[in-house]
Amino acid sequence: MMDIPKIPIGDAVESIEKWMKTYFGGLFDIIRAVIGWMVDNIEYVLTLLPPIVLIVLLALLSWRMVGWKFSIFTLIGLLLIDNLGFWELSMKSVSLVLTASILSIVIGIPIGIGCAKSSMFRSIMTPVLDFMQTMPAFVYLLPAVSFFSLGVVPGVIASIIFAIPPTIRLTNLGIRQVPAELVEAADAFGSTPAQKLFKLQLPMAMPTIMAGINQTIMLSLSMVVIASMIGAQGIGSYVYRAVTQANTGIGFEAGIAIVIMAILLDRLTQNVFKTKNKAN
Amino acid sequence: MAIIEVKGLTKVFGPDPQRAIPLLEQGMTKEAILKETRLTVGVNNASFSVEPGEIFVIMGLSGSGKSTLVRLLNRLIEPTAGQVLFDSTDVLKMTAEQLRHFRRKNMGMVFQKFALFPHRTVRQNVEYGLEVQGIDKKKRSEIAFDALKLVGLENWADSYPDQLSGGMQQRVGLARGLATDPDILLMDEAFSALDPLIRKDMQDELLELQSKVRKTIVFITHDLDEALRIGDRIALMKDGVIVQIGTPEEILIQPANKYVERFVEDVDMSKVLTASHVMIKPETVMLDRGPRVALQLMREREISNLYVTDKGMKLLGALTADQASAAVKEGLTIEDVMEREVPRVSPDVMLNELFEIMADTRVPVAVVGDDDRLRGVLIRGAVLAALAGNANPEAGESA
């Protein structure tokens, strides 16, 4: 065993990285531009209104979608963030999280549908997803930086890689859980595969898919601190700075702001579907 | 001409199923093939034809292949060998597009566990088949509403399926199957998930509906009583093979083999046979004859009463020997003395419904058709003989 020389996996990965940079540089530039544009615009919209107006609007939204108790939490929580002086940074982080989540949904749901329709595709995707979820996030920050340079864009890319698996997995699961007899009934009435998907499978899988999207949003929020290490501005950079300076007070304040955002995003996305059902 | 013709239809489950076909042709049994090739024979060489407007029942115990067989007809399961002809078109040669068209227009289906879409309202469920055809919203909504009226659920159109009882849900399933106005309705154990009383109601309702819509129905069941009640013809399946095809009477009276015989021996004949099966030829006298003629007839035939009819065999009343001789003495006509209130039943009344009527009357019960014409009479002896398993074949034919 000792005679076998070390297998040069690291070298191979580096030469692949170099090769991709050479040949796909243009593509990476386009991706960078698109993601950068999305983050900027979401941030622009979020900072368009004065904080207090947005806070009241979000509180009203919470009231409508969840309930009055939760709207009080929203009001107090967001006022606290503003009071601590984290408002702008939080909005930067939220733009990153929303961009990563939207892209995860847009990419993840079609992949999930593909997994549900083809068992072969699923058996290819499963190890890839496992790899994406278990590989330490720091490791793919490096090629992300090398492809997209420092800033918010590699942060979004890293967040997508880390956060997309639940959307894919639960879309697949949701569609596969549609009872076989219902699929058979749709077939018996002469549905095309697309009709079957949009009239039966996706509507019935929606609660499961929403659970996946909810997890995706939570996971990409958990990436804000790591993303800040490569220059993505936001609340995460405060946490990161607090860690490097061993400043418990600031770290705690920024941490509370992240927790408040997390609870808010979680409850609101959890209830998107439930409210829809009630309206019916 | 038959609307569906099935020839040598075979389904073998497992990898590379074609290799089981020569073995089946050699006459190997299902078990032997499973042992040798690990392949499961679902349906083996089934041939039958279904006539337009009839209810064709495929019946067998679970595992007999009946549910597989019905799915071969619309290719929800792909057959391994054989032919399915719909109006002389080979269904198995259809492309995916043609098959979709066939399923949309020609063949509706009703499922055992209803298979209603829980995220759609009752009306939207019924609309589904029209929706996939691309019929516009207003029109399909109207058609769906009419289909719901047919099954008496128009007031539930905007409810969701889980708000309905099992029997109502299956009526929605039936409406969904009928909404596309298919030529053929496949009903896969459609009533098996319902409790017995509801099931009987649904059977009655189906028969009533059938008299209105006149569809060709292929009905799958494991319940012999159900098969006998609603089937115009029955195919009996065992181990993937059709062992006998015939009318309910043929299956009961002339079972093709020991298996069928064992199957039908516990059947309550009173729920199968109708008045037309057990009635005998009536003794009649026409109204314009005199009471003397009537008495003479009774003497000759050694009976104590006669039915009075007009020239067209229309039932007018009954005449006993006492009434006839009274009329002779007092110089009256038959019309003056005859009994006008005669117990009468229609030819398709079940035997078990006859007992009560027969217990209450002294004169034989008259069997009268919709046109008021006398078809036959019921006497206790013939009814009891039929219950004992000796149906009167002659009577059955004359019906």
Side-chain angles (χ1 to χ4, degrees):
Chain A
M1 286 298 278
M2 302 310 257
D3 298 341
I4 302 172
K6 178 178 174 278
I7 300 169
I9 293 179
D11 294 343
V13 171
E14 269 174 30
S15 56
I16 291 173
E17 183 193 340
K18 213 171 274 172
W19 178 82
M20 284 179 67
K21 231 180 140 178
T22 317
Y23 290 95
F24 293 98
L27 180 68
F28 290 141
D29 286 345
I30 295 172
I31 294 175
R32 205 175 79 159
V34 170
I35 292 178
W37 178 85
M38 276 183 78
V39 176
D40 287 349
N41 276 288
I42 292 176
E43 196 190 331
Y44 172 74
V45 170
L46 288 174
T47 51
L48 204 56
L49 297 168
I52 186 68
V53 178
L54 191 60
I55 290 172
V56 170
L57 284 178
L58 283 170
L60 287 175
L61 185 72
S62 308
W63 190 10
R64 225 187 104 65
M65 285 178 60
V66 188
W68 64 271
K69 282 183 198 157
F70 186 67
S71 85
I72 290 171
F73 169 86
T74 306
L75 195 66
I76 293 174
L78 292 177
L79 284 173
L80 180 63
I81 291 179
D82 192 35
N83 174 271
L84 293 172
F86 289 139
W87 185 257
E88 264 180 52
L89 288 174
S90 296
M91 288 307 109
K92 279 190 197 301
S93 292
V94 170
S95 328
L96 185 150
V97 169
L98 287 183
T99 307
S101 304
I102 291 169
L103 289 173
S104 295
I105 293 164
V106 169
I107 301 167
I109 289 181
I111 295 180
I113 292 170
C115 288
K117 294 264 167 173
S118 153
S119 289
M120 174 129 115
F121 186 56
R122 184 180 62 159
S123 54
I124 295 169
M125 279 312 291
T126 306
V128 174
L129 295 179
D130 292 341
F131 188 89
M132 283 159 69
Q133 277 187 305
T134 49
M135 185 63 123
F138 296 100
V139 176
Y140 47 76
L141 278 183
L142 298 172
V145 169
S146 132
F147 293 148
F148 302 104
S149 76
L150 289 172
V152 73
V153 174
V156 170
I157 299 284
S159 299
I160 292 175
I161 295 174
F162 182 65
I164 201 172
T167 294
I168 298 178
R169 284 188 212 275
L170 288 172
T171 301
N172 166 58
L173 180 71
I175 292 176
R176 283 180 188 263
Q177 273 177 343
V178 174
E181 68 243 34
L182 296 187
V183 177
E184 194 176 50
D187 279 332
F189 286 99
S191 316
T192 61
Q195 286 173 331
K196 205 161 57 179
L197 183 67
F198 288 109
K199 292 181 195 295
L200 174 67
Q201 291 168 316
L202 282 183
M204 290 213 51
M206 220 14 121
T208 313
I209 295 175
M210 283 309 293
I213 290 174
N214 176 267
Q215 281 190 36
T216 289
I217 294 174
M218 293 295 104
L219 287 179
S220 54
L221 187 64
S222 75
M223 283 291 284
V224 294
V225 176
I226 292 169
S228 72
M229 292 170 65
I230 48 168
Q233 287 296 304
I235 191 87
S237 38
Y238 251 81
V239 177
Y240 183 50
R241 202 177 309 159
V243 170
T244 52
Q245 295 172 357
N247 192 332
T248 314
I250 293 181
F252 205 79
E253 282 176 1
I256 284 180
I258 292 179
V259 169
I260 291 170
M261 285 193 287
I263 294 176
L264 208 65
L265 284 169
D266 180 54
R267 296 295 188 280
L268 287 180
T269 51
Q270 258 184 26
N271 280 281
V272 169
F273 196 70
K274 284 183 198 151
T275 337
K276 250 192 187 165
N277 261 2
K278 259 185 252 162
N280 278 339
Chain B
M1 216 198 69
I3 186 162
I4 311 177
E5 217 176 332
V6 172
K7 291 178 188 163
L9 201 57
T10 301
K11 174 65 193 179
V12 180
F13 294 99
D16 189 14
Q18 288 296 342
R19 64 202 152 100
I21 301 294
L23 301 178
L24 282 172
E25 275 164 9
Q26 286 165 29
M28 256 172 90
T29 63
K30 195 175 162 174
E31 286 76 27
I33 289 175
L34 179 66
K35 216 170 165 187
E36 193 157 308
T37 62
R38 322 277 299 144
L39 294 173
T40 311
V41 178
V43 174
N44 180 6
N45 199 18
S47 298
F48 59 88
S49 57
V50 183
E51 300 300 321
E54 79 172 333
I55 301 185
F56 187 82
V57 174
I58 299 173
M59 99 136 264
L61 301 177
S62 60
S64 62
K66 57 192 188 303
S67 281
T68 306
L69 178 55
V70 76
R71 281 167 176 72
L72 297 178
L73 299 181
N74 61 357
R75 281 172 65 188
L76 284 178
I77 297 176
E78 280 301 327
T80 313
Q83 267 190 322
V84 178
L85 300 177
F86 166 76
D87 267 348
S88 319
T89 327
D90 194 340
V91 176
L92 306 192
K93 291 208 174 80
M94 287 180 180
T95 62
E97 185 56 47
Q98 288 169 325
L99 179 63
R100 260 200 298 279
H101 185 266
F102 171 68
R103 286 174 178 172
R104 285 174 179 181
K105 302 279 184 187
N106 305 118
M107 224 173 228
M109 195 159 179
V110 182
F111 297 86
Q112 176 172 12
K113 288 177 193 151
F114 322 139
L116 299 179
F117 303 134
H119 61 291
R120 295 174 147 244
T121 62
V122 164
R123 187 203 291 256
Q124 286 168 341
N125 263 284
V126 177
E127 272 178 22
Y128 187 83
L130 305 161
E131 193 178 319
V132 296
Q133 291 180 24
I135 291 171
D136 71 83
K137 212 172 156 75
K138 190 166 167 288
K139 191 165 175 213
R140 69 177 191 241
S141 178
E142 278 167 19
I143 302 175
F145 197 69
D146 287 343
L148 280 171
K149 263 192 214 155
L150 213 54
V151 297
L153 282 181
E154 65 271 25
N155 294 329
W156 296 82
D158 296 319
S159 309
Y160 281 86
D162 60 3
Q163 296 169 295
L164 271 57
S165 70
M168 288 157 90
Q169 289 190 30
Q170 192 56 305
R171 269 186 256 158
V172 177
L174 193 56
R176 182 176 63 177
L178 288 170
T180 53
D181 195 25
D183 304 292
I184 300 156
L185 194 59
L186 306 178
M187 301 185 71
D188 179 27
E189 300 241 23
F191 304 149
S192 300
L194 306 172
D195 46 22
L197 284 176
I198 312 254
R199 192 186 313 166
K200 191 162 173 291
D201 286 347
M202 288 295 286
Q203 291 163 0
D204 290 339
E205 219 162 292
L206 178 70
L207 290 173
E208 200 198 313
L209 203 63
Q210 170 69 348
S211 66
K212 283 186 227 159
V213 295
R214 278 282 146 206
K215 296 279 170 204
T216 307
I217 297 177
V218 178
F219 193 102
I220 309 295
T221 181
H222 63 258
D223 177 355
L224 184 62
D225 282 338
E226 185 166 76
L228 297 170
R229 253 178 82 96
I230 66 171
D232 291 317
R233 283 189 308 140
I234 300 172
L236 226 106
M237 282 188 87
K238 186 196 180 226
D239 294 339
V241 179
I242 294 181
V243 288
Q244 185 175 5
I245 299 179
T247 62
E249 291 81 20
E250 282 166 359
I251 298 243
L252 287 175
I253 295 162
Q254 303 148 357
N257 59 26
K258 277 267 180 302
Y259 177 77
V260 184
E261 207 169 284
R262 271 224 337 267
F263 217 101
V264 301
E265 71 187 1
D266 294 330
V267 174
D268 182 350
M269 298 295 263
S270 71
K271 288 180 184 163
V272 177
L273 298 175
T274 61
S276 65
H277 290 124
V278 294
M279 66 190 183
I280 58 168
K281 201 167 165 292
E283 300 295 345
T284 59
V285 60
M286 269 188 279
L287 186 65
D288 51 6
R289 303 287 149 84
R292 276 175 210 284
V293 179
L295 264 180
Q296 177 64 24
L297 270 171
M298 287 188 225
R299 212 172 291 135
E300 270 173 25
R301 310 243 161 105
E302 297 174 336
I303 48 178
S304 55
N305 46 43
L306 283 174
Y307 284 100
V308 185
T309 66
D310 67 6
K311 283 201 185 77
M313 278 299 270
K314 212 173 138 195
L315 180 64
L316 299 172
L319 185 71
T320 62
D322 295 342
Q323 287 165 336
S325 50
V328 170
K329 268 183 213 148
E330 294 164 31
L332 297 170
T333 62
I334 292 182
E335 199 171 3
D336 297 328
V337 295
M338 72 178 183
E339 188 82 56
R340 284 169 205 272
E341 295 297 315
V342 184
R344 46 175 87 190
V345 296
S346 87
D348 47 10
V349 171
M350 293 285 165
L351 232 51
N352 62 346
E353 294 166 43
L354 286 175
F355 297 140
E356 208 172 323
I357 306 167
M358 293 188 63
D360 288 347
T361 141
R362 283 173 300 112
V363 267
V365 177
V367 181
V368 182
D370 289 338
D371 49 5
D372 273 347
R373 283 175 50 186
L374 183 63
R375 301 284 172 82
V377 295
L378 298 171
I379 57 166
R380 289 206 178 98
V383 173
L384 291 175
L387 282 179
N390 307 315
N392 183 350
E394 190 190 339
E397 270 164 21
S398 68

